Amino acid sequence: MTMDLLWVLWSLVTASMAIHMEAGGSHSMFTCEPITLRMCHDLPYNSTFMPNLLNHYDQQTAALAMEPFHPMVNLECSPDLRTFLCALYTPVCTEYGRMTLPCRRLCQRARAECHQLMEIFGLSWPEEMECERFPECEDPYPRPADLLPSSSVTAEPPAPVQRDYGFWCPRELKVDPGLGYTFLGARDCSAPCPSMHFRRDELLFARYFVGVVSIVCLSATLFTFLTFLIDMARFRYPERPIVFYAVCYMMVALVYFLGFLLEDRVACNPASPGRFRAATVTQGSHNKACTLLFMTLYFFTMAGGAWWVVLTLTWFLAAVPKWGSEAIEKKALIFHAAAWGLPGILTVTLLALNKVEGDGLSGVCFLGMHDRPALRWFLLAPLCFDVVLGVALLLAGIAALNRVRMEIPLEKENQDKLVKFMIRIGVFSALYLVPLLTVIGCYMYEHSYRPLWETSWVQEKCRHYHIPCPYKVKQTSHPDLALFLIKYLMTLVVGIPSVFWVGSKKTCFEWASFFHGHRRKDMVKESQQALQEPDLSQLLLREPGPPVARKSRGTSTQGTSTHASSTHLAMLDEPASASTSRAGSVRSKASSHRGSQRRSRDGRCTATSFRPTEERLPYGSLPRLIDQPRLCSTTRLDSQSRHGSTQRLDSQSRHGSTRDLCITAQAVQSTPGNGIHRVVEEDGATA
């Protein structure tokens, strides 16, 4: 029980003590070693171990830290000061590597007797040597039980007692405190950059490899997105998620391309030779450029997987419940909320947890480079979930389509189209799933072997960095560069299958039209509109009195007679005297644009062509003319017309056959339609 308490106290002491290391030198395998500090000679023990209670890696570092106390020891302000200092800086090496702390009473006596002398020299009692940190006891130091049989003063070194000290961050990899850096469990420490496993020539090859692949993926996905912009109506649900999926991997490729251009300037913290610090991997959100790259890369990586699931869901809805494009499109808001919202939540969570890490191999910032829990829960888990759910929906949809093909009799042409569509879905899914599953496999392999790679690195570099070497290492391993190249390749290749979906003759025609006559489609539409809706200003006649104009357009989809086939009626103003003396029908003459009004012998009135009015009328408008009393007109209404004119007629009928009606001061107007049919008749007679 006492030893457990001592171990707990030692842990508290070592966690709260940190001395800036300024010494170098080789280390001695972290076994019991002879005491080399002159101040600690002639003690009841002659062997110690490192690191000591104050986190000094070797005796040279401990000697530098003890220099301020030399005047007090030489002046012998207290007989307990030298013993207390040696108990902290060169503790006795006990059997089985146990550690013994000095008693609190020993600390209190040394401090009380030397306190005034320390003030004279301008020194203060160090915080890491506060007496409250030590156990309450009365035993001398060292205790008799702590001494090894060979601990007496002798020229022979004692038997080695090895221990596992774990990873101690070397001074070259130290960073400023408060930034949240961790490396192999050590705080305020970061991994060497650009890479701790590969040579400079391998890093250069990997950097150019990632840059070339990112350019290819960026070009492919950008082509897909631009094809969508050229003809947006072509990509409707259930295939529209392919466009958003392509946009996601376009942004992923863009980030990797920026990493290729930036090299190590974002992913690595610069070296500081004056402070004995090497270049280290960037961590956390203090680096704004690294944080921006991480947010973009992680968000669109997760969003790309989410849009893959949405794509398989829309295929499932179209194949199994037989939803139409309009029904699926009504759920588009839900699709966008899920595909963009969930990756956003994950991104914000990682920023809050400070899980951003630089990737010196590719030059970007991502997660899971050295943090295995972040890699496991925030990358592997979402990707695996996307694959499982997407494959399940995809298989259900393909099974439903195959059942339709087998059970429902279809024409041979429709059968072939259905089979081609199923093959197209299968090929596209394979082109997506194979790279994605390869990426997941690479991450799983990296997740499993990274502890072994890190232990092997510490085993090789411990003497170079003067840190504890791993204890009882049975196996070493080094990562293969090909594994990381395959991971980057498949990460970017995942976005390329979108090109195979949009690649068709229709896409070639659209791009050819865009480059050689991008206005062709608009011109065709305008021509069709001009054919269906002629300039009605040419149909207007100048009358003695200014008519009141109102927009009138209509459509006739059926055949018309030679007398009156237009769906719009024009009632002309006429003086009262003329209307009383003349009564009959007026027939239009196509070759005349002078606005004369003609009457037939049978007494019926018809619409004629007339000149433009004094004031300019808008395109597509038809005058609303007010008839004088006792003016008769003949109207033929086409009951099959899609957008017929609406007349204010006699209360008998609104849509009837050909009638002769006598209208007294009634306004005639028509409703808008798709087109206007103009029929003009010529009778060969002059007025």
Side-chain angles (χ1 to χ4, degrees):
M1 188 66 179
T2 304
M3 297 308 301
D4 294 339
L5 180 60
L6 292 177
W7 274 107
V8 171
L9 292 174
W10 174 80
S11 300
L12 293 175
V13 172
T14 55
S16 60
M17 300 177 185
I19 301 296
H20 182 68
M21 189 179 77
E22 298 292 343
S26 60
H27 207 274
S28 56
M29 296 294 293
F30 291 89
T31 61
C32 288
E33 57 189 70
I35 296 176
T36 59
L37 273 69
R38 295 175 55 186
M39 184 184 296
C40 296
H41 286 173
D42 302 328
L43 291 176
Y45 61 95
N46 66 345
S47 62
T48 185
F49 62 90
M50 290 288 157
N52 57 21
L53 299 179
L54 301 181
N55 286 351
H56 300 139
Y57 301 125
D58 51 30
Q59 295 189 55
Q60 293 180 1
T61 306
L64 291 175
M66 291 179 68
E67 285 184 358
F69 297 97
H70 285 179
M72 274 70 69
V73 174
N74 294 334
L75 293 176
E76 297 182 353
C77 61
S78 173
D80 298 322
L81 179 61
R82 188 167 75 101
T83 303
F84 175 71
L85 292 176
C86 292
L88 296 179
Y89 289 94
T90 57
V92 59
C93 188
T94 61
E95 190 177 4
Y96 307 117
R98 292 183 290 104
M99 182 176 295
T100 301
L101 297 176
C103 293
R104 184 180 303 178
R105 294 294 180 86
L106 180 64
C107 174
Q108 291 174 347
R109 290 196 300 267
R111 180 176 182 179
E113 294 173 357
C114 298
H115 180 68
Q116 294 181 353
L117 187 60
M118 292 181 64
E119 291 181 353
I120 295 175
F121 283 94
L123 300 176
S124 60
W125 194 260
E127 182 180 357
E128 62 269 15
M129 294 170 54
E130 289 293 335
C131 299
E132 288 75 11
R133 300 177 181 272
F134 305 107
E136 184 71 37
C137 59
E138 296 290 344
D139 298 332
Y141 191 88
R143 300 176 183 86
D146 297 334
L147 297 175
L148 295 174
S150 57
S151 293
S152 58
V153 178
T154 175
E156 296 295 331
V161 178
Q162 296 184 354
R163 297 172 54 188
D164 185 10
Y165 293 94
F167 176 73
W168 289 63
C169 184
R171 64 175 178 176
E172 292 86 351
L173 304 182
K174 284 281 187 179
V175 296
D176 295 333
L179 298 177
Y181 279 44
T182 57
F183 176 53
L184 300 181
R187 295 182 179 179
D188 301 328
C189 187
S190 186
C193 200
S195 178
M196 55 189 287
H197 300 296
F198 303 111
R199 302 187 307 271
R200 177 62 62 176
D201 58 332
E202 294 176 332
L203 292 174
L204 186 62
F205 174 78
R207 188 69 56 81
Y208 277 95
F209 178 82
V210 174
V212 171
V213 177
S214 65
I215 293 174
V216 174
C217 180
L218 181 61
S219 303
T221 51
L222 183 61
F223 173 79
T224 302
F225 181 60
L226 294 179
T227 303
F228 166 73
L229 294 181
I230 290 176
D231 189 3
M232 298 177 63
R234 174 185 170 189
F235 298 93
R236 303 183 63 190
Y237 286 94
E239 64 179 356
R240 178 164 288 191
I242 295 178
V243 177
F244 303 113
Y245 150 84
V247 170
C248 292
Y249 282 97
M250 179 181 68
M251 297 303 298
V252 170
L254 179 62
V255 172
Y256 276 105
F257 180 68
L258 292 177
F260 166 72
L261 297 178
L262 294 172
E263 296 181 345
D264 299 335
R265 291 189 289 272
V266 174
C268 300
N269 295 316
S272 179
R275 303 175 63 184
F276 302 98
R277 291 184 179 180
T280 54
V281 172
T282 302
Q283 295 184 29
S285 57
H286 68 94
N287 189 323
K288 300 300 183 291
C290 183
T291 302
L292 182 60
L293 290 181
F294 162 77
M295 292 174 60
T296 306
L297 181 57
Y298 181 78
F299 174 80
F300 283 103
T301 299
M302 295 294 101
W307 277 113
W308 152 254
V309 175
V310 172
L311 176 63
T312 58
L313 177 61
T314 55
W315 280 343
F316 174 81
L317 294 176
V320 179
K322 305 298 187 298
W323 284 23
S325 178
E326 294 79 4
I328 299 177
E329 192 168 1
K330 290 180 180 179
K331 307 296 182 182
L333 183 60
I334 300 177
F335 297 153
H336 282 274
W340 302 120
L342 294 178
I345 294 174
L346 292 176
T347 303
V348 173
T349 303
L350 285 171
L351 289 177
L353 296 176
N354 213 29
K355 297 297 183 180
V356 182
E357 295 182 64
D359 183 6
L361 200 59
S362 62
V364 302
C365 292
F366 204 47
L367 81 160
M369 301 296 109
H370 303 282
D371 193 342
R372 296 173 67 231
L375 175 64
R376 183 188 311 121
W377 298 112
F378 288 94
L379 189 60
L380 283 176
L383 291 179
C384 292
F385 177 78
D386 291 344
V387 169
V388 172
L389 183 58
V391 169
L393 293 172
L394 179 66
L395 294 179
I398 292 179
L401 291 178
N402 186 62
R403 186 165 55 253
V404 170
R405 184 181 67 87
M406 298 297 294
E407 296 179 359
I408 301 178
L410 298 175
E411 297 180 358
K412 186 178 186 303
E413 182 180 358
N414 294 332
Q415 285 276 5
D416 295 340
K417 290 182 178 179
L418 183 59
V419 171
K420 289 181 180 179
F421 181 70
M422 293 173 60
I423 294 175
R424 194 179 182 189
I425 292 177
V427 172
F428 175 81
S429 302
L431 291 175
Y432 173 82
L433 288 174
V434 171
L436 183 59
L437 291 175
T438 305
V439 171
I440 293 176
C442 291
Y443 278 122
M444 287 185 173
Y445 184 86
E446 185 177 350
H447 178 272
S448 301
Y449 281 86
R450 182 167 291 279
L452 181 59
W453 298 340
E454 293 170 344
T455 302
S456 302
W457 176 81
V458 175
Q459 177 71 23
E460 293 179 356
K461 300 295 183 179
C462 61
R463 291 172 179 82
H464 172 73
Y465 286 123
H466 309 292
I467 58 175
C469 294
Y471 180 60
K472 294 182 178 180
V473 176
K474 298 180 180 179
Q475 182 182 2
T476 59
S477 177
H478 298 86
D480 192 353
L481 181 63
L483 172 70
F484 292 88
L485 296 181
I486 292 174
K487 181 183 71 174
Y488 294 126
L489 173 64
M490 294 303 168
T491 299
L492 295 169
V493 166
V494 170
I496 296 180
S498 60
V499 172
F500 296 97
W501 185 267
V502 301
S504 62
K505 292 182 179 179
K506 186 175 182 179
T507 301
C508 297
F509 292 150
E510 288 179 350
W511 278 98
S513 175
F514 176 78
F515 284 115
H516 298 96
H518 61 279
R519 291 286 299 168
R520 183 181 303 172
K521 186 178 297 184
D522 295 338
M523 293 173 61
V524 170
K525 290 182 179 179
E526 293 173 0
S527 300
Q528 293 175 352
Q529 185 178 12
L531 292 174
Q532 294 177 356
E533 299 179 4
D535 190 0
L536 298 180
S537 63
Q538 298 179 2
L539 303 177
L540 302 179
L541 288 173
R542 186 190 303 271
E543 291 299 324
V548 180
R550 184 178 181 88
K551 188 176 180 180
S552 173
R553 300 161 68 183
T555 301
S556 175
T557 58
Q558 301 295 332
T560 59
S561 66
T562 59
H563 291 286
S565 60
S566 176
T567 60
H568 301 285
L569 299 176
M571 307 306 295
L572 305 178
D573 290 335
E574 187 177 35
S577 61
S579 63
T580 56
S581 62
R582 301 176 59 186
S585 62
V586 180
R587 308 184 64 183
S588 64
K589 193 176 185 65
S591 60
S592 175
H593 295 282
R594 296 181 179 180
S596 62
Q597 189 178 42
R598 304 188 182 278
R599 301 176 181 275
S600 62
R601 295 181 180 180
D602 54 2
R604 291 179 298 177
C605 301
T606 62
T608 67
S609 300
F610 29 87
R611 293 192 189 101
T613 58
E614 288 293 332
E615 66 177 322
R616 186 176 182 86
L617 298 176
Y619 173 79
S621 63
L622 190 64
R624 182 189 178 198
L625 304 176
I626 304 177
D627 296 332
Q628 300 296 329
R630 302 172 62 183
L631 178 63
C632 299
S633 66
T634 304
T635 304
R636 174 183 174 89
L637 298 179
D638 189 354
S639 61
Q640 304 296 330
S641 122
R642 182 178 303 171
H643 299 285
S645 59
T646 304
Q647 310 287 342
R648 293 185 60 194
L649 301 177
D650 197 4
S651 60
Q652 300 296 327
S653 173
R654 207 170 192 182
H655 300 280
S657 60
T658 304
R659 299 176 182 178
D660 292 334
L661 304 175
C662 184
I663 306 176
T664 303
Q666 292 182 337
V668 181
Q669 71 178 32
S670 63
T671 58
N674 294 332
I676 297 178
H677 300 273
R678 176 185 171 192
V679 177
V680 293
E681 301 174 356
E682 297 186 23
D683 55 2
T686 60

